[in-house]
């Protein structure tokens, strides 16, 4: 009896395998895509890619990991790779691409890049981030600018305030707004948001050259300089301009505070514009955009890397995704929703709004005069250990009464220990 049952179950198992083998025959491109685009504007944007993928025969399995700035998504990625089960395609950017490449887990997408002529349509500075040992290992989606101030147009007008062009003007406007009972700065107390405000302030106060020395070269003299003390002084002021409930708030909820007039300003990358637009707000009318006081442009390029995976379906999915991502139509439609500008240089900009035009103009000028800089807060400038060490200090300072001098000392020590 037992023998019979065993035979039967072996037979069932064998036929199940035969069935499975037949069903793994090529079924078309497929991809499990890990990303952190879960806010209103972000979800609308990623839907553009999902649709193009489906329209081209692809089967998309969504793996969204909520959490602005992508820290939670990166933790989820590490767990999947360690378990030997990497997602097919992953939102990944900056030096983290190289770090994963060094672990031997990224696929080479040079064949698609060459067939599609990426070299001829991407600026060299962007292409450089997408290559590992000379091979293409990521596909760029956009150029986000980080050093923006967003404002509620009515709130500024009602209080007789113009968009600030210096930090003194910003502080004067903020003091006036606070006296009128309006939260000057919409902010969410999450480490990456603290870092976003910090780098915008640092760019303004250190200047582009000082920013490069501090956050690209990790130059100790600049990290310990009086100007860096002034950066933390301004951060202390910023802390005084946020509301009492800022702790832990998501960035898009901070954007909503500006939208509904509860707060006047937000310092945030232009994914915030994606939120304003998704809510039907009009730039120049409902909300205003300006670069933060000072020169320079902090760029943050979103991109996707393909992980080494088995299976023709997934590999075909990787090729198709890479091709679509850099495609002209996708780069236009996605970026109209996302708030960023295309990474490709040959996309017509006539449907883009005034903030996007300002971004494109400032990007080309800053590229020509050497002030186009990678965002440290959004993982474009430094490896994880170094950017993490800096952000820990920024957050510790923002959430305590630490003096600027102590913060600078802690910053220099943290960076030195992270090298
Ligand atoms: C990403 C954006 C994203 C933002 C908020 C940034 O680091 O580059 O694409 O919208 O984080 O999640």
């Amino acid at each position: 009896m037992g023998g019979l049952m065993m035979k039967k179950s072996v037979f069932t198992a064998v036929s199940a395998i035969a069935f499975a083998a037949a069903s793994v025959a090529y079924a078309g491109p497929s991809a499990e895509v890990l990303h952190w685009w879960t806010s209103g504007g972000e979800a609308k944007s990623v839907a553009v890619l999902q649709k193009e993928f489906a329209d081209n025969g692809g089967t998309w399995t969504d793996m969204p990991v909520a959490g602005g700035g992508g820290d939670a998504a990166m933790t989820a990625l590490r767990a999947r790779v360690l378990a030997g089960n990497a997602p097919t395609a992953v939102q990944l950017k900056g030096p983290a691409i190289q770090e994963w490449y060094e672990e031997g887990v990224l696929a080479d997408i040079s064949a698609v890049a060459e067939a599609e002529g990426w070299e001829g349509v991407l600026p060299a500075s962007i292409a450089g981030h997408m290559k590992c040992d000379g091979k293409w290992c990521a596909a760029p989606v956009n150029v986000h600018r980080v050093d923006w101030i967003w404002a509620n147009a009515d709130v500024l007008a009602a209080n007789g305030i113009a968009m600030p062009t210096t930090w003194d003007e910003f502080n004067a406007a903020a003091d006036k707004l606070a006296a009128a009972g309006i939260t000057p700065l919409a902010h969410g107390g999450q480490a990456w948001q603290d870092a976003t405000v910090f780098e915008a302030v640092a760019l303004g106060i250190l200047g582009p050259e000082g920013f490069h020395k501090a956050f690209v070269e990790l130059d100790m003299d600049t990290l310990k300089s009086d100007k860096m003390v002034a950066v933390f002084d301004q951060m202390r002021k910023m802390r005084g301009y946020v509301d009492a409930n800022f702790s832990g708030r998501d960035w898009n909820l901070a954007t909503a505070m500006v939208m509904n007039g509860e707060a006047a300003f937000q310092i945030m990358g232009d994914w915030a514009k994606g939120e304003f637009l998704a809510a039907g707000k009009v730039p120049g009318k409902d909300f205003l955009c300006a670069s933060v006081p000072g020169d320079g442009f902090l760029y943050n390029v979103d991109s996707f890397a393909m992980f080494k995976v088995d299976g023709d379906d997934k590999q075909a999915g990787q090729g198709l995704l890479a091709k679509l991502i850099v495609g002209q139509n996708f780069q236009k439609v996605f970026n109209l929703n996302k708030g960023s500008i295309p990474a490709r240089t040959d996309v017509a900009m006539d449907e883009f709004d005034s903030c996007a035009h300002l971004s494109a103009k400032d990007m080309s000028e800053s590229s020509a005069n050497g002030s186009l800089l990678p965002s440290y807060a959004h993982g474009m400038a430094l490896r994880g250990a170094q950017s993490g060490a800096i952000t820990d200090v920024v957050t510790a300072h923002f959430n305590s009464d630490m003096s600027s001098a102590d913060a600078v000392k802690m910053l220099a020590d943290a960076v030195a220990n992270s090298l």
Side-chain angles (χ1 to χ4, degrees), residues 36-39 41-42 67-71 91 93 142 144 146 192 196 251 268-272 275 300-303 334 338 340 375 377-380:
W36 66 90
W37 287 331
T38 56
S39 76
E42 291 173 335
D71 295 338
Q91 186 187 351
K93 57 188 169 157
N142 61 6
H144 270 304
V146 179
W192 73 273
T196 301
W251 66 273
M268 187 48 68
D270 40 23
W271 45 94
E275 292 305 294
N300 168 25
V301 175
D302 283 313
S303 45
F334 175 89
K338 188 70 174 63
S340 35
S375 157
H378 290 274
M380 296 304 298

Side-chain angles (χ1 to χ4, degrees), residues 50-408:
Q50 291 171 346
K51 183 168 185 308
E52 275 206 18
F53 194 59
D55 288 350
N56 284 276
T59 305
W60 174 292
T61 305
D62 207 27
M63 188 187 170
V65 180
D71 295 338
M74 292 300 101
T75 305
L77 171 63
R78 181 147 294 279
R80 285 286 301 267
V81 177
L82 285 176
N85 179 25
T88 330
V90 177
Q91 186 187 351
L92 194 67
K93 57 188 169 157
I97 299 171
Q98 314 297 324
E99 290 182 273
W100 281 111
Y101 172 77
E102 287 159 16
E103 303 217 10
V105 291
L106 292 195
D108 179 359
I109 53 171
S110 302
V112 179
E114 280 151 24
E116 296 294 309
W118 290 2
E119 198 75 67
V121 294
L122 296 174
S125 53
I126 294 183
H129 284 290
M130 308 298 140
K131 289 186 190 167
C132 303
D133 275 346
K135 289 173 281 194
W136 291 87
C137 51
V141 172
N142 61 6
V143 181
H144 270 304
R145 183 180 199 173
V146 179
D147 51 314
W148 285 110
I149 302 190
W150 308 94
N152 180 302
D154 289 345
V155 169
L156 293 204
N159 288 277
I161 290 169
M163 249 343 211
T165 58
T166 64
W167 288 106
D168 285 345
E169 279 178 26
F170 180 87
N171 295 339
D175 290 338
K176 194 171 178 189
L177 288 157
I182 296 156
T183 298
L185 186 66
H187 182 66
Q190 297 175 345
W192 73 273
Q193 293 187 61
D194 300 341
T196 301
V197 174
F198 173 78
E199 75 170 351
V201 169
L203 176 65
I205 293 179
L206 303 175
E209 214 175 303
F211 183 97
H212 193 274
K213 277 199 154 26
F215 303 115
V216 179
E217 298 167 42
L218 298 177
D219 171 63
M220 278 298 154
D221 289 344
T222 312
L223 289 168
K224 289 193 226 165
S225 63
D226 290 348
K227 281 200 169 173
M228 194 62 85
V229 174
V231 172
F232 281 102
D233 286 347
Q234 180 62 31
M235 286 304 284
R236 180 61 65 232
K237 283 192 165 292
M238 299 308 240
R239 176 67 179 80
Y241 296 144
V242 308
D243 68 324
N245 299 322
F246 79 102
S247 202
R249 175 187 290 134
D250 286 331
W251 66 273
N252 51 322
L253 301 181
T255 308
M257 290 170 69
V258 177
M259 270 186 228
N260 65 29
E262 209 180 310
F265 298 114
Q266 182 182 20
I267 294 182
M268 187 48 68
D270 40 23
W271 45 94
K273 192 184 75 184
E275 292 305 294
F276 284 110
L277 298 179
K281 304 290 178 192
V282 178
K285 180 175 162 282
D286 302 315
F287 69 97
L288 307 175
C289 61
S291 57
V292 297
D295 298 328
F297 185 113
L298 297 181
Y299 69 84
N300 168 25
V301 175
D302 283 313
S303 45
F304 279 86
M306 310 301 160
F307 277 65
K308 282 186 184 157
V309 286
D310 291 330
D312 292 349
D313 296 13
K314 289 181 180 174
Q315 288 167 6
Q318 294 181 322
L320 176 58
L321 261 186
K323 177 178 160 189
L324 294 175
I325 284 170
V326 187
Q328 232 176 356
N329 183 57
F330 170 75
Q331 293 251 329
K332 185 182 89 178
V333 183
F334 175 89
N335 287 302
L336 281 170
N337 287 303
K338 188 70 174 63
S340 35
I341 56 175
R344 280 180 83 113
T345 51
D346 60 349
V347 177
M349 292 292 290
D350 36 311
E351 288 173 50
F352 284 80
D353 60 43
S354 53
C355 305
H357 281 279
L358 178 63
S359 186
K361 174 178 153 286
D362 286 357
M363 184 175 156
S364 81
E365 282 175 15
S366 63
S367 170
N369 70 22
S371 64
L372 180 62
L373 295 158
S375 157
Y376 115 76
H378 290 274
M380 296 304 298
L382 299 168
R383 290 183 168 238
Q386 282 80 47
S387 60
I390 296 171
T391 300
D392 285 349
V393 177
V394 169
T395 294
H397 170 266
F398 200 72
N399 290 295
S400 70
D401 59 1
M402 187 187 297
S403 73
S404 301
D406 284 351
V408 162

Side-chain angles (χ1 to χ4, degrees), residues 6-55:
M6 205 171 84
K7 265 192 204 131
K8 188 167 178 223
S9 60
V10 167
F11 173 78
T12 314
V14 169
S15 44
I17 290 167
F19 176 74
S23 67
V24 292
Y26 182 68
S30 74
E32 184 193 13
V33 185
L34 169 57
H35 63 89
W36 66 90
W37 287 331
T38 56
S39 76
E42 291 173 335
K44 236 180 130 180
S45 311
V46 76
V48 175
L49 188 56
Q50 291 171 346
K51 183 168 185 308
E52 275 206 18
F53 194 59
D55 288 350

